[in-house]
Amino acid sequence: MTGAPPPAGTLVIGYGNPGRGDDGLGPALAGGIAALGLPGVAVEIDYQLTVEHAALLVPFGRVLFADAMTGLEVPFRLMPVAADDGAGLDSHRLTPGAVLALAGLLFGRRPEAWILAIAGTAFDRLDEGLSPAARRNLAAALDFAVPWLAGATAPPDAGPRRPEQGVFSENSHQNSLFPER
């Protein structure tokens, strides 16, 4: 048998700035998953997505990006991530779709990708800690994510979707580091 082994497992990438209140939801979710030590699940926590993340996701069968999002009407939303081949490459800020496209361009492989967007409301604070609403939303997102990561082959419905919310793209997400108000 030749070649690389088939991709397996799931990589969870939680990103955001814990020093900006609810922007720390992505890292908090990833930290909670890491603490559980789920078999076949690797976890990466960072402030933002960078070009280096493209190399990290290649050996995995799927990747789950976790980030805070403003304007959600539900505690969290799971959406498939489409590769954004037209995304500009900025070394200081990439979208999940740009990271996925870069993985395909550089390594010839794009794993199945999802984003778990968690509703946050308090981004204007310059201190660590989540708001009470964000803590509740984080708990709901963890309750959903753990069984999904443990072996779901298809994502359960993560809440009602409007058509524009069906697939994650740069236009459907406000940057978690500097959310627009």
mmCIF file with all atom_site columns, all heavy atoms in Angstrom, residues 17-40:
data_model
loop_
_atom_site.group_PDB
_atom_site.id
_atom_site.type_symbol
_atom_site.label_atom_id
_atom_site.label_alt_id
_atom_site.label_comp_id
_atom_site.label_asym_id
_atom_site.label_entity_id
_atom_site.label_seq_id
_atom_site.pdbx_PDB_ins_code
_atom_site.Cartn_x
_atom_site.Cartn_y
_atom_site.Cartn_z
_atom_site.occupancy
_atom_site.B_iso_or_equiv
_atom_site.pdbx_formal_charge
_atom_site.auth_seq_id
_atom_site.auth_comp_id
_atom_site.auth_asym_id
_atom_site.auth_atom_id
_atom_site.pdbx_PDB_model_num
ATOM 1   N N   . ASN A 1 17 ? -10.855 36.457 20.570 1.00 0.00 ? 17 ASN A N   1
ATOM 2   C CA  . ASN A 1 17 ? -10.045 37.143 21.567 1.00 0.00 ? 17 ASN A CA  1
ATOM 3   C C   . ASN A 1 17 ? -10.737 37.111 22.931 1.00 0.00 ? 17 ASN A C   1
ATOM 4   O O   . ASN A 1 17 ? -11.687 37.857 23.164 1.00 0.00 ? 17 ASN A O   1
ATOM 5   C CB  . ASN A 1 17 ? -9.810  38.588 21.127 1.00 0.00 ? 17 ASN A CB  1
ATOM 6   C CG  . ASN A 1 17 ? -8.893  39.348 22.048 1.00 0.00 ? 17 ASN A CG  1
ATOM 7   O OD1 . ASN A 1 17 ? -8.587  38.912 23.149 1.00 0.00 ? 17 ASN A OD1 1
ATOM 8   N ND2 . ASN A 1 17 ? -8.439  40.505 21.599 1.00 0.00 ? 17 ASN A ND2 1
ATOM 9   N N   . PRO A 1 18 ? -10.275 36.261 23.851 1.00 0.00 ? 18 PRO A N   1
ATOM 10  C CA  . PRO A 1 18 ? -10.896 36.194 25.172 1.00 0.00 ? 18 PRO A CA  1
ATOM 11  C C   . PRO A 1 18 ? -10.806 37.508 25.956 1.00 0.00 ? 18 PRO A C   1
ATOM 12  O O   . PRO A 1 18 ? -11.560 37.708 26.903 1.00 0.00 ? 18 PRO A O   1
ATOM 13  C CB  . PRO A 1 18 ? -10.102 35.092 25.881 1.00 0.00 ? 18 PRO A CB  1
ATOM 14  C CG  . PRO A 1 18 ? -9.488  34.294 24.792 1.00 0.00 ? 18 PRO A CG  1
ATOM 15  C CD  . PRO A 1 18 ? -9.230  35.256 23.672 1.00 0.00 ? 18 PRO A CD  1
ATOM 16  N N   . GLY A 1 19 ? -9.935  38.404 25.554 1.00 0.00 ? 19 GLY A N   1
ATOM 17  C CA  . GLY A 1 19 ? -9.823  39.705 26.212 1.00 0.00 ? 19 GLY A CA  1
ATOM 18  C C   . GLY A 1 19 ? -10.843 40.712 25.729 1.00 0.00 ? 19 GLY A C   1
ATOM 19  O O   . GLY A 1 19 ? -10.819 41.869 26.142 1.00 0.00 ? 19 GLY A O   1
ATOM 20  N N   . ARG A 1 20 ? -11.760 40.296 24.849 1.00 0.00 ? 20 ARG A N   1
ATOM 21  C CA  . ARG A 1 20 ? -12.824 41.162 24.337 1.00 0.00 ? 20 ARG A CA  1
ATOM 22  C C   . ARG A 1 20 ? -14.193 40.594 24.666 1.00 0.00 ? 20 ARG A C   1
ATOM 23  O O   . ARG A 1 20 ? -15.086 40.514 23.835 1.00 0.00 ? 20 ARG A O   1
ATOM 24  C CB  . ARG A 1 20 ? -12.716 41.303 22.814 1.00 0.00 ? 20 ARG A CB  1
ATOM 25  C CG  . ARG A 1 20 ? -11.563 42.082 22.274 1.00 0.00 ? 20 ARG A CG  1
ATOM 26  C CD  . ARG A 1 20 ? -11.786 43.585 22.124 1.00 0.00 ? 20 ARG A CD  1
ATOM 27  N NE  . ARG A 1 20 ? -13.087 44.026 21.686 1.00 0.00 ? 20 ARG A NE  1
ATOM 28  C CZ  . ARG A 1 20 ? -13.432 44.282 20.434 1.00 0.00 ? 20 ARG A CZ  1
ATOM 29  N NH1 . ARG A 1 20 ? -12.581 44.076 19.461 1.00 0.00 ? 20 ARG A NH1 1
ATOM 30  N NH2 . ARG A 1 20 ? -14.633 44.729 20.146 1.00 0.00 ? 20 ARG A NH2 1
ATOM 31  N N   . GLY A 1 21 ? -14.372 40.168 25.908 1.00 0.00 ? 21 GLY A N   1
ATOM 32  C CA  . GLY A 1 21 ? -15.684 39.679 26.340 1.00 0.00 ? 21 GLY A CA  1
ATOM 33  C C   . GLY A 1 21 ? -16.127 38.451 25.578 1.00 0.00 ? 21 GLY A C   1
ATOM 34  O O   . GLY A 1 21 ? -15.420 37.449 25.517 1.00 0.00 ? 21 GLY A O   1
ATOM 35  N N   . ASP A 1 22 ? -17.302 38.554 24.950 1.00 0.00 ? 22 ASP A N   1
ATOM 36  C CA  . ASP A 1 22 ? -17.902 37.401 24.277 1.00 0.00 ? 22 ASP A CA  1
ATOM 37  C C   . ASP A 1 22 ? -17.134 36.943 23.039 1.00 0.00 ? 22 ASP A C   1
ATOM 38  O O   . ASP A 1 22 ? -17.410 35.873 22.509 1.00 0.00 ? 22 ASP A O   1
ATOM 39  C CB  . ASP A 1 22 ? -19.354 37.708 23.902 1.00 0.00 ? 22 ASP A CB  1
ATOM 40  C CG  . ASP A 1 22 ? -20.260 37.790 25.116 1.00 0.00 ? 22 ASP A CG  1
ATOM 41  O OD1 . ASP A 1 22 ? -19.796 37.511 26.246 1.00 0.00 ? 22 ASP A OD1 1
ATOM 42  O OD2 . ASP A 1 22 ? -21.443 38.147 24.937 1.00 0.00 ? 22 ASP A OD2 1
ATOM 43  N N   . ASP A 1 23 ? -16.165 37.707 22.575 1.00 0.00 ? 23 ASP A N   1
ATOM 44  C CA  . ASP A 1 23 ? -15.350 37.263 21.453 1.00 0.00 ? 23 ASP A CA  1
ATOM 45  C C   . ASP A 1 23 ? -14.548 36.017 21.828 1.00 0.00 ? 23 ASP A C   1
ATOM 46  O O   . ASP A 1 23 ? -14.034 35.323 20.959 1.00 0.00 ? 23 ASP A O   1
ATOM 47  C CB  . ASP A 1 23 ? -14.417 38.376 20.965 1.00 0.00 ? 23 ASP A CB  1
ATOM 48  C CG  . ASP A 1 23 ? -13.854 38.081 19.587 1.00 0.00 ? 23 ASP A CG  1
ATOM 49  O OD1 . ASP A 1 23 ? -14.633 37.668 18.699 1.00 0.00 ? 23 ASP A OD1 1
ATOM 50  O OD2 . ASP A 1 23 ? -12.641 38.239 19.397 1.00 0.00 ? 23 ASP A OD2 1
ATOM 51  N N   . GLY A 1 24 ? -14.479 35.699 23.105 1.00 0.00 ? 24 GLY A N   1
ATOM 52  C CA  . GLY A 1 24 ? -13.786 34.508 23.568 1.00 0.00 ? 24 GLY A CA  1
ATOM 53  C C   . GLY A 1 24 ? -14.618 33.234 23.484 1.00 0.00 ? 24 GLY A C   1
ATOM 54  O O   . GLY A 1 24 ? -14.185 32.180 23.958 1.00 0.00 ? 24 GLY A O   1
ATOM 55  N N   . LEU A 1 25 ? -15.795 33.277 22.870 1.00 0.00 ? 25 LEU A N   1
ATOM 56  C CA  . LEU A 1 25 ? -16.644 32.082 22.789 1.00 0.00 ? 25 LEU A CA  1
ATOM 57  C C   . LEU A 1 25 ? -15.990 30.941 22.019 1.00 0.00 ? 25 LEU A C   1
ATOM 58  O O   . LEU A 1 25 ? -16.102 29.779 22.427 1.00 0.00 ? 25 LEU A O   1
ATOM 59  C CB  . LEU A 1 25 ? -18.001 32.436 22.153 1.00 0.00 ? 25 LEU A CB  1
ATOM 60  C CG  . LEU A 1 25 ? -19.020 33.050 23.108 1.00 0.00 ? 25 LEU A CG  1
ATOM 61  C CD1 . LEU A 1 25 ? -20.135 33.746 22.342 1.00 0.00 ? 25 LEU A CD1 1
ATOM 62  C CD2 . LEU A 1 25 ? -19.576 31.985 24.043 1.00 0.00 ? 25 LEU A CD2 1
ATOM 63  N N   . GLY A 1 26 ? -15.323 31.218 20.915 1.00 0.00 ? 26 GLY A N   1
ATOM 64  C CA  . GLY A 1 26 ? -14.668 30.159 20.138 1.00 0.00 ? 26 GLY A CA  1
ATOM 65  C C   . GLY A 1 26 ? -13.600 29.439 20.948 1.00 0.00 ? 26 GLY A C   1
ATOM 66  O O   . GLY A 1 26 ? -13.614 28.206 21.053 1.00 0.00 ? 26 GLY A O   1
ATOM 67  N N   . PRO A 1 27 ? -12.652 30.196 21.554 1.00 0.00 ? 27 PRO A N   1
ATOM 68  C CA  . PRO A 1 27 ? -11.664 29.539 22.401 1.00 0.00 ? 27 PRO A CA  1
ATOM 69  C C   . PRO A 1 27 ? -12.286 28.809 23.600 1.00 0.00 ? 27 PRO A C   1
ATOM 70  O O   . PRO A 1 27 ? -11.804 27.744 23.998 1.00 0.00 ? 27 PRO A O   1
ATOM 71  C CB  . PRO A 1 27 ? -10.774 30.691 22.866 1.00 0.00 ? 27 PRO A CB  1
ATOM 72  C CG  . PRO A 1 27 ? -10.875 31.693 21.772 1.00 0.00 ? 27 PRO A CG  1
ATOM 73  C CD  . PRO A 1 27 ? -12.306 31.601 21.304 1.00 0.00 ? 27 PRO A CD  1
ATOM 74  N N   . ALA A 1 28 ? -13.359 29.350 24.164 1.00 0.00 ? 28 ALA A N   1
ATOM 75  C CA  . ALA A 1 28 ? -14.004 28.691 25.311 1.00 0.00 ? 28 ALA A CA  1
ATOM 76  C C   . ALA A 1 28 ? -14.614 27.358 24.891 1.00 0.00 ? 28 ALA A C   1
ATOM 77  O O   . ALA A 1 28 ? -14.493 26.353 25.609 1.00 0.00 ? 28 ALA A O   1
ATOM 78  C CB  . ALA A 1 28 ? -15.069 29.605 25.914 1.00 0.00 ? 28 ALA A CB  1
ATOM 79  N N   . LEU A 1 29 ? -15.260 27.311 23.729 1.00 0.00 ? 29 LEU A N   1
ATOM 80  C CA  . LEU A 1 29 ? -15.816 26.049 23.254 1.00 0.00 ? 29 LEU A CA  1
ATOM 81  C C   . LEU A 1 29 ? -14.693 25.043 23.001 1.00 0.00 ? 29 LEU A C   1
ATOM 82  O O   . LEU A 1 29 ? -14.774 23.899 23.433 1.00 0.00 ? 29 LEU A O   1
ATOM 83  C CB  . LEU A 1 29 ? -16.626 26.247 21.978 1.00 0.00 ? 29 LEU A CB  1
ATOM 84  C CG  . LEU A 1 29 ? -17.230 24.924 21.494 1.00 0.00 ? 29 LEU A CG  1
ATOM 85  C CD1 . LEU A 1 29 ? -18.733 24.912 21.690 1.00 0.00 ? 29 LEU A CD1 1
ATOM 86  C CD2 . LEU A 1 29 ? -16.864 24.641 20.069 1.00 0.00 ? 29 LEU A CD2 1
ATOM 87  N N   . ALA A 1 30 ? -13.637 25.484 22.325 1.00 0.00 ? 30 ALA A N   1
ATOM 88  C CA  . ALA A 1 30 ? -12.517 24.581 22.033 1.00 0.00 ? 30 ALA A CA  1
ATOM 89  C C   . ALA A 1 30 ? -11.859 24.088 23.320 1.00 0.00 ? 30 ALA A C   1
ATOM 90  O O   . ALA A 1 30 ? -11.506 22.909 23.429 1.00 0.00 ? 30 ALA A O   1
ATOM 91  C CB  . ALA A 1 30 ? -11.499 25.282 21.139 1.00 0.00 ? 30 ALA A CB  1
ATOM 92  N N   . GLY A 1 31 ? -11.715 24.961 24.292 1.00 0.00 ? 31 GLY A N   1
ATOM 93  C CA  . GLY A 1 31 ? -11.139 24.545 25.571 1.00 0.00 ? 31 GLY A CA  1
ATOM 94  C C   . GLY A 1 31 ? -11.998 23.523 26.283 1.00 0.00 ? 31 GLY A C   1
ATOM 95  O O   . GLY A 1 31 ? -11.486 22.566 26.875 1.00 0.00 ? 31 GLY A O   1
ATOM 96  N N   . GLY A 1 32 ? -13.307 23.700 26.225 1.00 0.00 ? 32 GLY A N   1
ATOM 97  C CA  . GLY A 1 32 ? -14.219 22.728 26.832 1.00 0.00 ? 32 GLY A CA  1
ATOM 98  C C   . GLY A 1 32 ? -14.131 21.373 26.156 1.00 0.00 ? 32 GLY A C   1
ATOM 99  O O   . GLY A 1 32 ? -14.148 20.333 26.814 1.00 0.00 ? 32 GLY A O   1
ATOM 100 N N   . ILE A 1 33 ? -14.013 21.370 24.842 1.00 0.00 ? 33 ILE A N   1
ATOM 101 C CA  . ILE A 1 33 ? -13.882 20.109 24.107 1.00 0.00 ? 33 ILE A CA  1
ATOM 102 C C   . ILE A 1 33 ? -12.538 19.456 24.407 1.00 0.00 ? 33 ILE A C   1
ATOM 103 O O   . ILE A 1 33 ? -12.460 18.246 24.619 1.00 0.00 ? 33 ILE A O   1
ATOM 104 C CB  . ILE A 1 33 ? -14.090 20.344 22.601 1.00 0.00 ? 33 ILE A CB  1
ATOM 105 C CG1 . ILE A 1 33 ? -15.566 20.693 22.348 1.00 0.00 ? 33 ILE A CG1 1
ATOM 106 C CG2 . ILE A 1 33 ? -13.650 19.138 21.777 1.00 0.00 ? 33 ILE A CG2 1
ATOM 107 C CD1 . ILE A 1 33 ? -15.874 21.186 20.963 1.00 0.00 ? 33 ILE A CD1 1
ATOM 108 N N   . ALA A 1 34 ? -11.471 20.258 24.452 1.00 0.00 ? 34 ALA A N   1
ATOM 109 C CA  . ALA A 1 34 ? -10.135 19.715 24.750 1.00 0.00 ? 34 ALA A CA  1
ATOM 110 C C   . ALA A 1 34 ? -10.121 19.046 26.119 1.00 0.00 ? 34 ALA A C   1
ATOM 111 O O   . ALA A 1 34 ? -9.516  17.990 26.300 1.00 0.00 ? 34 ALA A O   1
ATOM 112 C CB  . ALA A 1 34 ? -9.087  20.819 24.692 1.00 0.00 ? 34 ALA A CB  1
ATOM 113 N N   . ALA A 1 35 ? -10.798 19.644 27.092 1.00 0.00 ? 35 ALA A N   1
ATOM 114 C CA  . ALA A 1 35 ? -10.815 19.095 28.451 1.00 0.00 ? 35 ALA A CA  1
ATOM 115 C C   . ALA A 1 35 ? -11.478 17.715 28.508 1.00 0.00 ? 35 ALA A C   1
ATOM 116 O O   . ALA A 1 35 ? -11.170 16.918 29.392 1.00 0.00 ? 35 ALA A O   1
ATOM 117 C CB  . ALA A 1 35 ? -11.538 20.059 29.396 1.00 0.00 ? 35 ALA A CB  1
ATOM 118 N N   . LEU A 1 36 ? -12.343 17.425 27.554 1.00 0.00 ? 36 LEU A N   1
ATOM 119 C CA  . LEU A 1 36 ? -13.028 16.128 27.540 1.00 0.00 ? 36 LEU A CA  1
ATOM 120 C C   . LEU A 1 36 ? -12.164 15.009 26.952 1.00 0.00 ? 36 LEU A C   1
ATOM 121 O O   . LEU A 1 36 ? -12.436 13.837 27.195 1.00 0.00 ? 36 LEU A O   1
ATOM 122 C CB  . LEU A 1 36 ? -14.327 16.233 26.738 1.00 0.00 ? 36 LEU A CB  1
ATOM 123 C CG  . LEU A 1 36 ? -15.383 17.164 27.326 1.00 0.00 ? 36 LEU A CG  1
ATOM 124 C CD1 . LEU A 1 36 ? -16.544 17.321 26.354 1.00 0.00 ? 36 LEU A CD1 1
ATOM 125 C CD2 . LEU A 1 36 ? -15.862 16.646 28.673 1.00 0.00 ? 36 LEU A CD2 1
ATOM 126 N N   . GLY A 1 37 ? -11.143 15.360 26.180 1.00 0.00 ? 37 GLY A N   1
ATOM 127 C CA  . GLY A 1 37 ? -10.266 14.349 25.592 1.00 0.00 ? 37 GLY A CA  1
ATOM 128 C C   . GLY A 1 37 ? -10.993 13.357 24.701 1.00 0.00 ? 37 GLY A C   1
ATOM 129 O O   . GLY A 1 37 ? -10.746 12.161 24.776 1.00 0.00 ? 37 GLY A O   1
ATOM 130 N N   . LEU A 1 38 ? -11.875 13.853 23.852 1.00 0.00 ? 38 LEU A N   1
ATOM 131 C CA  . LEU A 1 38 ? -12.640 12.961 22.969 1.00 0.00 ? 38 LEU A CA  1
ATOM 132 C C   . LEU A 1 38 ? -11.708 12.245 22.001 1.00 0.00 ? 38 LEU A C   1
ATOM 133 O O   . LEU A 1 38 ? -10.847 12.872 21.379 1.00 0.00 ? 38 LEU A O   1
ATOM 134 C CB  . LEU A 1 38 ? -13.670 13.771 22.167 1.00 0.00 ? 38 LEU A CB  1
ATOM 135 C CG  . LEU A 1 38 ? -14.737 14.505 22.965 1.00 0.00 ? 38 LEU A CG  1
ATOM 136 C CD1 . LEU A 1 38 ? -15.579 15.378 22.041 1.00 0.00 ? 38 LEU A CD1 1
ATOM 137 C CD2 . LEU A 1 38 ? -15.619 13.515 23.707 1.00 0.00 ? 38 LEU A CD2 1
ATOM 138 N N   . PRO A 1 39 ? -11.855 10.932 21.852 1.00 0.00 ? 39 PRO A N   1
ATOM 139 C CA  . PRO A 1 39 ? -11.000 10.209 20.903 1.00 0.00 ? 39 PRO A CA  1
ATOM 140 C C   . PRO A 1 39 ? -11.251 10.686 19.475 1.00 0.00 ? 39 PRO A C   1
ATOM 141 O O   . PRO A 1 39 ? -12.395 10.916 19.078 1.00 0.00 ? 39 PRO A O   1
ATOM 142 C CB  . PRO A 1 39 ? -11.405 8.743  21.078 1.00 0.00 ? 39 PRO A CB  1
ATOM 143 C CG  . PRO A 1 39 ? -12.632 8.734  21.910 1.00 0.00 ? 39 PRO A CG  1
ATOM 144 C CD  . PRO A 1 39 ? -12.801 10.074 22.541 1.00 0.00 ? 39 PRO A CD  1
ATOM 145 N N   . GLY A 1 40 ? -10.177 10.836 18.717 1.00 0.00 ? 40 GLY A N   1
ATOM 146 C CA  . GLY A 1 40 ? -10.272 11.251 17.322 1.00 0.00 ? 40 GLY A CA  1
ATOM 147 C C   . GLY A 1 40 ? -10.517 12.727 17.123 1.00 0.00 ? 40 GLY A C   1
ATOM 148 O O   . GLY A 1 40 ? -10.760 13.164 16.006 1.00 0.00 ? 40 GLY A O   1
#
